[in-house]
Amino acid sequence: MRGTEDVTVLRLGHRPGRDERITTHVGLTARALGADRVLLAGAAASRADTVVDITDRFGGPFAVETTEEPKRHIREFEGTVVHLTMYGEPIQDVESEIRAAHDREPLLVVVGAEKVPFEVYERADYNVGVTNQPHSEIASLAVFLDRLYEGAELGREWEDPDQVVVPMATGKKVVDPEEVEDGS
Amino acid sequence: MRGTEDVTVLRLGHRPGRDERITTHVGLTARALGADRVLLAGAAASRADTVVDITDRFGGPFAVETTEEPKRHIREFEGTVVHLTMYGEPIQDVESEIRAAHDREPLLVVVGAEKVPFEVYERADYNVGVTNQPHSEIASLAVFLDRLYEGAELGREWEDPDQVVVPMATGKKVVDPEEVEDGS
């Protein structure tokens, strides 16, 4: 988000035919909850178009990139590497340290599927568990980002959207952004 | 969670062949982040076994139930109904009211796929958006539960697990719970 060091979410270990929608949700969650960029590794690149399309329609900035060398990217990343894993340290124990690191330098948040290479555990500055229970990398990413930004991501404004949802107690309202600017 | 009114997560609108893994993640996220029960509507029932299996291995209590009449269940629910939707009111504006409601009575959290019938919007006491951006019902559920319980779910203890993950800065450690009790 603007005013903070960059946060990149790296999607690792996508299995074609199984993880299509999961990887899409990872990308859209990264965008909606304040990350600056999603980096889709290997076969996950197939989901780039969907995330780009949502960014075109609902606004940015949000970058969608792909890589064939995710391990090199992690190894050489200049900043703090966080790996979300059910085997890691409890988020509530390390989140303030990670926030302090993010005040100083960019963050790479690695979100894997089932088998993550051991070198990722070793390179990560923090292996972080959102609980030590098996659940969902999407859920872990969401809780991680909400805690990293301490809720500030929920009030983020978007540039150049084609459509804007107007929050309502009941019903659906989607408008052209120029209507919103007019207050009509 | 123990000591609070029941929270049930209702998974609505599962599309066979598309939503298998998404529905599984909804169920596992509900369990891991403190809900008491997941109710799988219609075709979502196909995912019950996976969630039951995780509960058997990693502990409970957590109930997995199915229904062919989700709309009736919502209509007749005795408690507060929350529907998570990108069209709803910002979570940060309504979460304290919902916490107060949950102090008094059970909560039903409805998590839909793409098309949710309008009567759900009308019956819901709260239509809640975790941002008004399109992303993931799993991410919305995760942020909602973490805010509902104000993080208390992260310290939840589990009954009768066959295996327990021991948090580690680097690596994976899974033990028999009796070892944990022995402190070895």
Side-chain angles (χ1 to χ4, degrees):
Chain A
M1 288 196 305
R2 201 179 296 158
T4 64
E5 293 280 349
D6 265 16
V7 174
T8 299
V9 173
L10 170 56
R11 170 57 166 168
L12 205 66
H14 172 99
R15 296 158 298 178
R18 285 197 66 174
D19 289 333
E20 309 308 329
R21 289 173 56 74
I22 299 291
T23 294
T24 301
H25 283 218
V26 166
L28 295 179
T29 297
R31 174 186 170 277
L33 298 183
D36 298 280
R37 181 181 302 101
V38 71
L39 187 56
L40 301 168
S46 65
R47 311 314 293 166
D49 288 353
T50 307
V51 185
V52 169
D53 176 57
I54 292 289
T55 304
D56 286 346
R57 285 159 56 201
F58 288 89
F62 183 72
V64 181
E65 295 168 8
T66 61
T67 177
E68 290 297 329
E69 294 186 292
K71 287 195 260 184
R72 195 174 94 176
H73 193 96
I74 295 169
R75 204 165 49 234
E76 296 177 359
F77 184 74
E78 295 184 3
T80 297
V81 176
V82 174
H83 170 217
L84 299 178
T85 164
M86 66 178 278
Y87 301 101
E89 297 180 281
I91 184 169
Q92 63 273 32
D93 293 353
V94 292
E95 63 181 280
S96 62
E97 264 184 60
I98 295 173
R99 267 196 300 272
H102 177 233
D103 285 341
R104 294 187 306 267
E105 61 182 24
L107 224 59
L108 181 67
V109 184
V110 182
V111 178
E114 270 168 314
K115 293 257 166 103
V116 172
F118 195 67
E119 62 194 276
V120 175
Y121 289 82
E122 289 182 312
R123 164 61 183 96
D125 297 288
Y126 297 93
N127 289 287
V128 177
V130 176
T131 79
N132 294 103
Q133 298 294 316
H135 55 101
S136 168
E137 58 266 46
I138 302 163
S140 293
L141 178 63
V143 170
F144 177 81
L145 291 173
D146 189 38
R147 286 173 172 249
L148 176 70
Y149 295 118
E150 298 181 288
E153 82 286 357
L154 299 176
R156 177 179 173 172
E157 300 211 339
W158 299 90
E159 292 174 12
D160 298 324
D162 288 339
Q163 56 196 91
V164 171
V165 172
V166 180
M168 292 188 81
T170 309
K172 302 183 186 184
K173 187 171 184 183
V174 185
V175 300
D176 185 295
E178 283 163 27
E179 285 183 60
V180 177
E181 281 159 27
D182 294 347
S184 60
Chain B
M1 290 197 303
R2 201 181 294 157
T4 64
E5 293 280 350
D6 265 15
V7 174
T8 299
V9 173
L10 170 57
R11 170 58 167 167
L12 205 66
H14 172 99
R15 296 159 298 179
R18 285 197 66 174
D19 288 333
E20 308 308 331
R21 289 173 58 73
I22 299 291
T23 294
T24 301
H25 283 218
V26 166
L28 295 179
T29 297
R31 172 186 171 277
L33 298 183
D36 299 278
R37 181 181 302 101
V38 70
L39 186 57
L40 300 168
S46 65
R47 311 313 294 168
D49 288 353
T50 307
V51 185
V52 168
D53 177 57
I54 291 289
T55 304
D56 286 345
R57 286 158 58 199
F58 289 87
F62 184 71
V64 182
E65 296 169 7
T66 62
T67 177
E68 290 298 328
E69 295 187 290
K71 286 196 261 184
R72 196 174 93 177
H73 193 96
I74 296 169
R75 203 165 48 235
E76 295 176 0
F77 184 73
E78 294 184 5
T80 297
V81 176
V82 173
H83 171 218
L84 299 179
T85 164
M86 66 179 277
Y87 300 102
E89 296 179 281
I91 184 170
Q92 64 273 33
D93 294 353
V94 292
E95 63 182 278
S96 62
E97 264 184 59
I98 294 172
R99 268 196 299 273
H102 177 232
D103 285 342
R104 295 188 304 267
E105 60 182 22
L107 223 60
L108 180 67
V109 184
V110 181
V111 178
E114 272 170 313
K115 293 258 166 103
V116 172
F118 195 67
E119 62 194 275
V120 175
Y121 289 82
E122 289 182 312
R123 164 61 182 95
D125 297 289
Y126 298 93
N127 289 287
V128 177
V130 175
T131 78
N132 295 104
Q133 298 294 316
H135 55 101
S136 168
E137 57 266 46
I138 301 163
S140 294
L141 177 63
V143 170
F144 177 81
L145 291 172
D146 189 38
R147 287 174 172 249
L148 175 70
Y149 295 118
E150 298 181 290
E153 83 285 358
L154 299 175
R156 176 179 173 173
E157 301 211 338
W158 299 90
E159 292 174 14
D160 298 323
D162 288 339
Q163 55 195 91
V164 170
V165 172
V166 180
M168 292 189 83
T170 308
K172 302 183 186 184
K173 187 172 184 182
V174 185
V175 299
D176 185 294
E178 284 164 26
E179 284 183 61
V180 177
E181 281 159 27
D182 293 347
S184 61

